[in-house]
Amino acid sequence: EYTGLTYIHSYAGVIYNCGKRSNINLATGPGLGINNGFTDFFWGVNLSGAYYINEKIAITPGIHFMKDPESYDPLLSFSIKASRAF
């Protein structure tokens, strides 16, 4: 149903450093979804946490929730990424 969905967002949030090697990030804000030539405004929330393997590299799992205000179908995605601090 959502093949080829492009999602552009602008989120603001907070980061809580819960340990020397870990943090939790909560961000929310508006987004713009483009799917099959149609444009919709969304609201989204991203919750993720980072665990630093060493001083520069972190593993970051996350959950992303997106909701079109005019639709009953929310989108939920899960992610895991590697991050590098400079």
Side-chain angles (χ1 to χ4, degrees), residues 2 39-43 66-75:
Y2 294 103
T39 304
D40 287 317
F41 288 100
F42 284 82
W43 281 99
M66 300 174 280
K67 177 73 171 94
D68 177 355
E70 298 180 13
S71 170
Y72 292 107
D73 298 327
L75 297 174

Side-chain angles (χ1 to χ4, degrees), residues 52 55-57 83-86:
Y52 283 85
E55 207 174 281
K56 300 278 186 187
I57 298 174
S83 304
R84 183 173 188 274
F86 293 96

Side-chain angles (χ1 to χ4, degrees), residues 27-86:
T28 186
L32 180 67
I34 304 166
N35 188 25
N36 295 329
F38 295 100
T39 304
D40 287 317
F41 288 100
F42 284 82
W43 281 99
V45 176
N46 186 16
L47 175 64
S48 61
Y51 177 75
Y52 283 85
I53 298 169
N54 61 31
E55 207 174 281
K56 300 278 186 187
I57 298 174
I59 301 296
T60 308
I63 299 172
H64 195 160
F65 177 82
M66 300 174 280
K67 177 73 171 94
D68 177 355
E70 298 180 13
S71 170
Y72 292 107
D73 298 327
L75 297 174
L76 183 66
S77 65
F78 299 92
S79 66
I80 187 161
K81 38 185 184 177
S83 304
R84 183 173 188 274
F86 293 96

Side-chain angles (χ1 to χ4, degrees), residues 18-30:
C18 51
K20 285 185 176 182
R21 297 181 133 193
S22 59
N23 64 45
I24 297 171
N25 177 7
L26 176 65
T28 186

